[in-house]
């Protein structure tokens, strides 16, 4: 038995190859390595001998830089294919070859005469670091392969869903019978009515934060890619939040400048010195532009808050925002989503509809909160405990909607998410249909991704059945849209033909009348409750309901556009929403004016033509800031 153990120990010893012709150096290294239980190997600088030595797979190379036959830079590139770390040993020519040593990217370099402990320590660190790097590469490749497999699942599932929906619709048209559709739509109908009823219940009362209370430290992340139109106003709004303890802000603002090619970076530099709790992370190609999840994970690594908040780059908040929302993260609550409002909600029809849409979404989250703390994260205005983010594997950088992905992972793991309707983040509404569809296709793709990939995990999760059904219902929203509004169209056609063509029915719907009636009216109760929370006049409420009902028919073309994108795409990509800036404010009474954090009177950018003027006018200030930073 002892002989077997000894053999195993010898085989497991790391093999260290020393390339040198210096016998004194070789003898010292051999002694030091064997004392540390490393296997000593050696070769001279002959190309063939080095190649033969490398074929025997050493774990690390000690390279004597004084070997005249070896070009350090070329050698480092040569051994890249072998995936072997190396340490350079430098002698008398240290100053002359230092640049080449550094260019060869060694794990470390040592000076002759070598200190035994320094050699042993350097080798141990290099081996451990290389092992970790290798594992990181393996993990990354496995992740990429996993995402490729998921992409295949998503494509096949999308094809199946699209084919099923088209088949059912054609079946109803050709057979002139859609009774089956009434029974299918009873599923989302029941959930919509349950949510409407549950949203009427008042949410739990929470202990308010008072002056002098100890506050948990919060890190607020603001991802920014080409946000020159909005980033200054957003940062200043967030910097005005009243969340202090003992006179010091108990929060930090981390803006992640993700490969911006406009003036985002310069603007951030110009205001940094006036906002001490502002940190700026700059991501450059090829690392930048890969996805919002990767951006947030970078910030998470550098953050010091126990609670993490995420704002979009067009966000405005009231000064009491954090004191209002943080109490919702009490006890065993993992995350909280605040209400979202449009600061330009009255600019046009689309802006108003998005404001109502988020009101409807918020009302649904109130219901889910009341039904078991199974609310969801919606991107802008989300706050999550850092330990909960880390526990569920952080944000998925490959996910198109990283917020929904994170929320589902938290809920599957048994976590709880609250909804806070007491405070809101104000953001910019999209003003044209093309941009709106681009954004909504991304959202819909994110929902389908989550549904197709996490459905088995939801079923297997050790959580109550009601919670499982709540998660599935939420992420299945876009799946039912086509059939829901097809059902509306059939019902409306039948009503029209029945009245004007003498009791004629285009497509039969023979389920009990209560089934059809519930399916038709289920759209309205939850939305009426949601829109009423802003206390509009009765005429305004009726108009909003009617307009929003018509607006919702955009979900029909959206379904087909989303399916086309999912079936034809070759990789998961993230397309950000373009923010044009705070040009029109409809809610001055809701958004407090800035406390005028000084930015040295730097003028805002009004158009692309102003960029050159901006740089000329502020170049001295920017240079000073860059030197300080």
């Amino acid at each position: 038995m002892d002989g077997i153990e000894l053999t195993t120990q010898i085989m497991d010893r790391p093999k260290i190859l020393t390339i040198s012709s210096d016998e004194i150096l070789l003898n010292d290294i051999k002694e030091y390595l064997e004392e540390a239980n490393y296997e000593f190997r050696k070769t001279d600088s002959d190309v063939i001998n080095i190649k033969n030595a490398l074929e025997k797979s050493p774990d690390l190379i000690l390279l004597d830089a004084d070997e005249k036959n070896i070009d350090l830079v070329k050698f480092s590139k040569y051994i890249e294919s072998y995936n072997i770390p190396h340490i350079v040993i430098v002698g008398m020519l240290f100053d002359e070859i230092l640049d080449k040593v550094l260019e060869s990217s060694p794990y470390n370099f040592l000076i002759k005469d070598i200190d035994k402990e320094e050699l042993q320590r350097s080798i141990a660190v290099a081996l451990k670091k290389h092992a970790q790097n290798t594992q990181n590469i393996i993990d990354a490749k496995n992740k990429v392969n996993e995402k490729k497999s998921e992409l295949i699942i998503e494509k096949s599932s999308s094809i199946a869903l699209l084919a099923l929906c088209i088949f059912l619709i054609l079946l109803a048209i050709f057979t002139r019978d859609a009774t089956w559709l009434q029974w299918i739509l009873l599923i989302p109908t029941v959930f919509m009515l349950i949510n409407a009823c549950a949203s009427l219940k008042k949410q739990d009362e929470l202990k308010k934060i008072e002056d002098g209370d100890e506050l948990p430290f919060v890190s607020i992340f603001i991802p920014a890619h080409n946000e020159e139109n909005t980033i200054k106003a957003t940062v200043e709004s967030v910097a005005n939040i009243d969340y202090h303890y003992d006179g010091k802000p108990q929060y930090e603002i981390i803006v992640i400048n993700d490969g911006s090619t406009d003036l985002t970076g310069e603007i951030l530099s110009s205001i940094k010195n006036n906002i001490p709790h502002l940190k700026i992370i700059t991501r450059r190609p090829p690392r930048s532009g890969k996805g919002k999840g990767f951006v947030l994970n970078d910030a998470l690594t550098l953050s010091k808050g126990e609670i993490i908040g995420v704002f979009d780059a067009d966000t405005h908040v009231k000064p009491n925002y954090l004191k209002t929302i943080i109490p919702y993260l009490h006890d065993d609550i993992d995350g909280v989503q605040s209400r979202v409002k449009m600061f330009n909600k009255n600019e046009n029809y689309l802006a108003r509809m998005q404001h109502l849409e988020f009101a409807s979404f918020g009302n649904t989250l109130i219901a889910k909160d009341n039904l078991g703390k199974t609310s969801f994260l919606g991107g802008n205005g989300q706050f999550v405990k850092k330990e909960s983010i880390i526990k569920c594997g952080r944000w998925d950088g490959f996910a198109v909607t990283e917020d929904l992905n994170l929320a589902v992972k938290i809920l599957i793991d048994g976590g709880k998410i609250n909804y806070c309707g007491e405070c809101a983040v104000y953001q910019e509404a999209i003003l044209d249909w093309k941009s709106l569809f681009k954004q909504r296709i991304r959202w819909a793709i994110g929902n389908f991704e989550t549904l197709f990939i996490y459905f088995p995990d939801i079923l297997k999760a050790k959580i109550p059945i009601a919670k499982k059904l709540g998660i599935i219902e939420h992420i299945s929203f876009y799946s039912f849209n086509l059939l829901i509004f097809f059902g509306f169209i059939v019902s409306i056609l039948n009503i029209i033909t029945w009245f004007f063509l003498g009791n004629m029915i285009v497509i039969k719907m023979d389920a009990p009348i209560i089934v059809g009636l519930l399916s038709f009216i289920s759209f309205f109760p939850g939305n009426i409750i949601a829109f009423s929370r802003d206390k509009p006049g009765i005429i305004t409420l009726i108009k909003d309901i009617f307009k929003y009902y018509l607006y919702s028919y955009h979900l029909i073309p959206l379904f087909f556009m989303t399916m086309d994108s999912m079936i034809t795409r070759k990789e998961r990509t993230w397309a950000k929403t373009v923010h044009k800036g705070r040009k029109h404010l409809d809610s001055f009474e809701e958004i407090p004016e800035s406390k005028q954090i000084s930015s040295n009177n730097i003028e805002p950018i009004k158009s692309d033509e102003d960029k050159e003027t901006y740089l000329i006018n502020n170049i001295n200030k920017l240079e000073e800031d860059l030197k300080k930073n």
Side-chain angles (χ1 to χ4, degrees):
M1 182 65 71
D2 291 341
I4 295 175
E5 289 179 356
L6 181 60
T7 303
T8 303
Q9 289 177 4
I10 293 174
M11 291 178 63
D12 289 343
R13 288 193 303 166
K15 299 174 283 292
I16 312 300
L17 173 64
T18 304
I19 302 176
S20 176
S21 301
D22 185 338
E23 290 297 329
I24 298 176
L25 175 66
L26 289 171
N27 290 333
D28 288 342
I29 290 176
K30 180 180 179 181
E31 177 186 341
Y32 301 158
L33 292 181
E34 290 179 346
E35 181 181 316
N37 200 30
Y38 293 125
E39 180 181 332
F40 171 74
R41 294 181 179 182
K42 68 175 182 177
T43 185
D44 56 29
S45 57
D46 181 76
V47 175
I48 296 177
N49 291 339
I50 290 177
K51 184 177 181 180
N52 290 336
L54 293 177
E55 294 295 339
K56 295 179 181 179
S57 303
D59 295 292
L60 182 137
I61 297 171
L62 295 174
L63 176 61
D64 185 355
D66 289 342
E67 291 292 303
K68 297 180 180 179
N69 295 336
I70 294 180
D71 183 303
L72 291 175
V73 178
K74 289 183 179 179
F75 178 81
S76 67
K77 292 180 179 179
Y78 174 70
I79 63 172
E80 279 182 3
S81 60
Y82 289 91
N83 190 30
I84 303 173
H86 70 287
I87 295 174
V88 176
I89 301 173
V90 187
M92 298 299 295
L93 302 176
F94 178 79
D95 292 333
E96 297 178 25
I97 66 169
L98 178 59
D99 290 340
K100 285 191 174 182
V101 170
L102 297 177
E103 191 178 347
S104 70
S105 302
Y107 274 67
N108 201 349
F109 63 88
L110 302 171
I111 309 295
K112 295 180 182 178
D113 297 317
I114 298 177
D115 178 76
K116 178 178 67 174
E117 292 183 358
E118 186 178 0
L119 173 67
Q120 294 172 348
R121 182 171 55 252
S122 295
I123 292 175
V125 170
L127 290 173
K128 186 173 182 179
K129 183 178 178 182
H130 180 67
Q132 184 61 57
N133 290 345
T134 302
Q135 187 59 50
N136 289 342
I137 293 171
I138 294 172
D139 291 344
K141 288 181 178 179
N142 290 340
K143 193 70 173 180
V144 170
N145 291 333
E146 176 188 327
K147 295 305 172 183
K148 286 181 179 178
S149 299
E150 289 181 0
L151 198 61
I152 295 172
I153 294 172
E154 292 162 12
K155 285 178 179 289
S156 58
S157 299
S158 299
I159 292 171
L161 178 61
L162 179 62
L164 177 63
C165 289
I166 292 175
F167 170 76
L168 291 174
I169 290 173
L170 292 177
L171 180 67
I173 293 173
F174 286 116
T175 63
R176 296 184 62 189
D177 189 344
T179 303
W180 56 267
L181 179 60
Q182 292 178 283
W183 291 107
I184 289 178
L185 294 185
L186 191 61
I187 300 171
T189 292
V190 170
F191 277 106
M192 290 171 74
L193 293 175
I194 289 174
N195 287 338
C197 294
S199 69
L200 290 170
K201 178 180 177 292
K202 189 176 181 181
Q203 290 180 274
D204 297 338
E205 291 285 342
L206 298 173
K207 182 180 180 298
K208 302 299 182 182
I209 292 176
E210 298 178 359
D211 292 340
D213 286 351
E214 244 183 279
L215 305 172
F217 197 87
V218 178
S219 295
I220 296 176
F221 300 166
I222 306 176
H225 173 71
N226 291 344
E227 300 288 3
E228 64 184 11
N229 295 320
T230 61
I231 193 63
K232 180 175 181 288
T234 295
V235 172
E236 290 185 347
S237 174
V238 177
N240 277 326
I241 291 176
D242 179 18
Y243 189 75
H244 296 73
Y245 179 73
D246 198 21
K248 298 179 181 178
Q250 286 301 104
Y251 72 104
E252 62 181 352
I253 307 167
I254 302 180
V255 179
I256 312 96
N257 181 12
D258 189 42
S260 295
T261 55
D262 64 355
L263 292 173
T264 299
E266 288 84 346
I267 293 171
L268 288 170
S269 294
S270 72
I271 63 176
K272 186 179 187 306
N273 288 341
N274 302 292
I275 306 175
H277 49 304
L278 170 63
K279 296 179 180 177
I280 302 169
I281 299 173
T282 301
R283 303 175 91 245
R284 296 184 174 86
R287 187 175 177 81
S288 62
K290 301 301 182 182
K292 189 175 178 180
F294 293 118
V295 171
L296 295 175
N297 285 331
D298 272 4
L300 186 70
T301 303
L302 299 172
S303 65
K304 62 179 183 177
E306 57 189 279
I307 295 173
I308 306 299
V310 180
F311 287 153
D312 288 348
D314 61 334
T315 298
H316 299 273
V317 292
K318 292 183 179 181
N320 67 343
Y321 181 88
L322 284 181
K323 285 186 176 179
T324 304
I325 196 170
I326 294 304
Y328 282 78
L329 282 164
H330 60 85
D331 302 327
D332 60 343
I333 302 299
D334 296 271
V336 58
Q337 173 65 45
S338 73
R339 186 173 179 183
V340 179
K341 295 183 178 183
M342 305 297 136
F343 60 65
N344 59 337
K345 64 184 178 183
N346 293 324
E347 191 161 345
N348 66 11
Y349 170 76
L350 273 185
R352 180 69 182 176
M353 292 306 100
Q354 290 165 75
H355 180 76
L356 298 176
E357 192 173 25
F358 275 94
S360 178
F361 176 69
N363 198 65
T364 299
L365 296 187
I366 290 175
K368 293 181 181 297
D369 185 302
N370 288 333
L371 289 170
K373 309 304 178 189
T374 55
S375 191
F376 282 79
L377 304 174
N380 197 11
Q382 62 173 301
F383 284 77
V384 188
K385 291 176 181 176
K386 181 189 281 188
E387 62 181 0
S388 300
I389 298 173
I390 296 173
K391 183 181 177 183
C392 69
R394 303 172 186 254
W395 283 280
D396 185 344
F398 293 90
V400 173
T401 50
E402 79 299 325
D403 47 2
L404 179 63
N405 181 283
L406 178 66
V408 169
K409 289 190 293 187
I410 289 174
L411 294 174
I412 287 176
D413 197 42
K416 297 178 181 179
I417 300 176
N418 250 333
Y419 176 74
C420 172
E422 289 187 79
C423 61
V425 288
Y426 295 82
Q427 66 183 41
E428 179 183 19
I430 295 172
L431 302 178
D432 64 279
W433 280 104
K434 182 179 179 181
S435 299
L436 181 76
F437 269 106
K438 182 179 179 181
Q439 181 192 65
R440 298 314 160 88
I441 288 172
R442 176 171 66 84
W443 291 2
I445 287 175
N447 267 73
F448 283 120
E449 280 181 357
T450 308
L451 173 64
F452 296 151
I453 299 305
Y454 285 96
F455 186 76
D457 293 333
I458 296 170
L459 295 180
K460 292 184 292 184
K462 295 179 180 180
I463 56 178
I465 293 178
K467 192 171 184 178
K468 293 181 182 182
L469 292 176
I471 298 172
I472 294 171
E473 175 263 329
H474 187 86
I475 62 178
S476 299
F477 169 77
Y478 288 99
S479 303
F480 282 103
N481 284 336
L482 179 63
L483 296 179
I484 289 173
F485 287 96
F486 175 70
F488 281 168
I489 291 172
V490 170
S491 299
I492 292 170
L493 284 176
N494 283 339
I495 292 171
I496 292 173
T497 56
W498 192 83
F499 274 105
F500 293 100
L501 298 178
N503 299 338
M504 176 182 173
I505 298 296
V506 178
I507 297 176
K508 288 191 299 183
M509 300 181 101
D510 289 339
I513 191 169
I514 187 64
V515 174
L517 185 62
L518 286 175
S519 295
F520 187 78
I521 69 170
S522 62
F523 174 87
F524 298 97
N527 289 320
I528 291 173
I529 295 169
F531 303 164
S532 298
R533 293 187 186 277
D534 284 337
K535 297 180 173 58
I538 186 65
I539 301 301
T540 300
L541 177 62
I542 293 172
K543 287 181 178 179
D544 282 344
I545 290 293
F546 179 71
K547 290 178 181 178
Y548 187 67
Y549 176 74
L550 294 179
Y551 165 78
S552 297
Y553 277 89
H554 83 277
L555 294 171
I556 294 178
L558 177 64
F559 177 86
F560 288 105
M561 294 165 75
T562 303
M563 289 295 101
D564 176 66
S565 295
M566 293 199 70
I567 293 169
T568 58
R569 66 180 180 159
K570 295 181 180 179
E571 61 180 356
R572 290 176 168 181
T573 55
W574 180 79
K576 70 176 288 292
T577 302
V578 176
H579 300 134
K580 298 180 180 180
R582 185 173 163 176
K583 296 179 181 178
H584 301 280
L585 282 181
D586 302 319
S587 304
F588 282 104
E589 78 284 357
E590 293 180 336
I591 305 178
E593 286 299 301
S594 168
K595 294 179 182 177
Q596 299 300 318
I597 293 177
S598 172
S599 296
N600 294 310
N601 298 318
I602 292 178
E603 291 294 321
I605 300 167
K606 298 176 182 177
S607 67
D608 289 342
E609 289 75 23
D610 290 336
K611 291 181 180 179
E612 185 175 350
T613 303
Y614 178 95
L615 283 173
I616 292 173
N617 291 342
N618 298 286
I619 191 68
N620 293 332
K621 175 66 174 68
L622 294 174
E623 285 181 349
E624 290 175 10
D625 288 338
L626 288 172
K627 288 177 181 177
K628 291 178 182 177
N629 294 324

